[in-house]
């Protein structure tokens, strides 16, 4: 039976579609930097979510690659109240 799964990370070669959260966060951060922004804040999701951790990693890697000072990510919970 043919099948494909959707994964948030670590794709199964050949049978899944996955989102590279680290690369996505790096691209978004790089876009802001290339527009000239230097005060960029990262509003992170829950730290027990792999996606949130990966996005924070990508943000911090890209900021570091450009040698831009930043504040610590703001840890949140992805709710409207936050």
């Amino acid at each position: 039976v043919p099948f494909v799964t959707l994964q948030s990370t670590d794709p199964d070669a050949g049978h899944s579609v996955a989102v590279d959260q680290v690369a996505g966060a790096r691209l978004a951060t790089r876009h802001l930097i290339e527009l000239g922004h230097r005060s960029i804040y990262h509003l992170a999701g829950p730290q027990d979510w792999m996606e949130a951790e990966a996005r924070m990693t990508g943000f911090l890697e890209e900021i570091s690659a450009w040698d831009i000072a930043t504040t610590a990510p703001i840890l949140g919970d992805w709710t409207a109240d936050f």
Side-chain angles (χ1 to χ4, degrees):
V1 175
F3 70 93
V4 174
T5 62
L6 175 61
Q7 307 294 324
S8 61
T9 58
D10 299 327
D12 173 26
H15 294 284
S16 66
V17 176
V19 175
D20 187 337
Q21 303 287 347
V22 174
R26 288 194 74 151
L27 286 170
T29 305
R30 185 176 313 141
H31 176 70
L32 294 172
I33 293 167
E34 288 175 344
L35 287 174
H37 299 287
R38 292 299 181 264
S39 294
I40 304 169
Y41 294 86
H42 180 73
L43 302 176
Q47 294 309 286
D48 58 343
W49 285 55
M50 291 184 301
E51 295 88 347
E53 184 67 28
R55 291 173 191 165
M56 186 168 59
T57 297
F59 167 76
L60 293 171
E61 286 177 359
E62 195 64 26
I63 286 288
S64 178
W66 286 77
D67 197 27
I68 296 173
T70 188
T71 59
I74 300 166
L75 305 180
D77 60 13
W78 288 341
T79 64
D81 289 337
F82 174 74

